[in-house]
Amino acid sequence: VQLQASGGGLVQPGGSLRLSCAASGSIFSIDTMDWYRQAPGKERELVAAITSGGSTNYADSVKGRFTISRDNAKNTVYLQMNSLKPEDTAPYYCRAEVMRYGRSQWNIYWGQGTQVTVSS
């Protein structure tokens, strides 16, 4: 199973970006899909999460600005980021809880990270 993240870049404060993360491989089912970030010198933090049923959870710092969504048919999760601030600058990592075909347990997989830089 591989997770391929994309959509990062350089944006001015107040701007927007949309991240995508597509899961591929021998996937039977995906439960929760998340976005994390880790700014330099800080611990990795959960930004947003979405269950297979569509329930969402956000870090307080991004509520009202970021929106997580998913397309279950495409095994893809998105993060729409609006009103970006310099403190949002970090590499963003996607994560998924996956059950592979022929297996009976859930495993965690991470994407490679995509850099978001908010600067004027």
Side-chain angles (χ1 to χ4, degrees), residues 9-88:
L10 173 64
V11 64
Q12 292 186 345
S16 298
L17 283 174
R18 187 187 192 219
L19 306 183
S20 300
C21 177
S24 62
S26 182
I27 298 170
F28 175 72
S29 182
I30 301 178
D31 192 359
T32 301
M33 302 184 83
D34 317 306
W35 288 98
Y36 284 76
R37 67 186 180 189
Q38 185 169 15
K42 295 186 178 182
E43 293 186 355
R44 185 172 293 188
E45 63 170 342
L46 176 66
V47 176
I50 185 167
T51 67
S52 57
S55 296
T56 59
N57 183 41
Y58 297 93
D60 288 342
S61 59
V62 306
K63 283 181 180 177
R65 300 189 298 122
F66 290 11
T67 302
I68 190 170
S69 61
R70 64 191 282 174
D71 184 332
N72 290 329
K74 296 181 178 179
N75 290 333
T76 300
V77 62
Y78 306 96
L79 186 67
Q80 178 66 44
M81 305 184 294
N82 299 328
S83 302
L84 282 161
K85 305 175 181 180
E87 51 264 43
D88 295 318

Side-chain angles (χ1 to χ4, degrees), residues 96-119:
E97 298 178 35
V98 178
M99 182 176 289
R100 299 174 60 185
Y101 280 106
R103 307 293 179 89
S104 59
Q105 62 187 25
W106 297 92
N107 293 105
I108 302 297
Y109 295 89
W110 290 89
Q112 85 283 11
T114 184
Q115 179 67 37
V116 171
T117 302
V118 185
S119 176

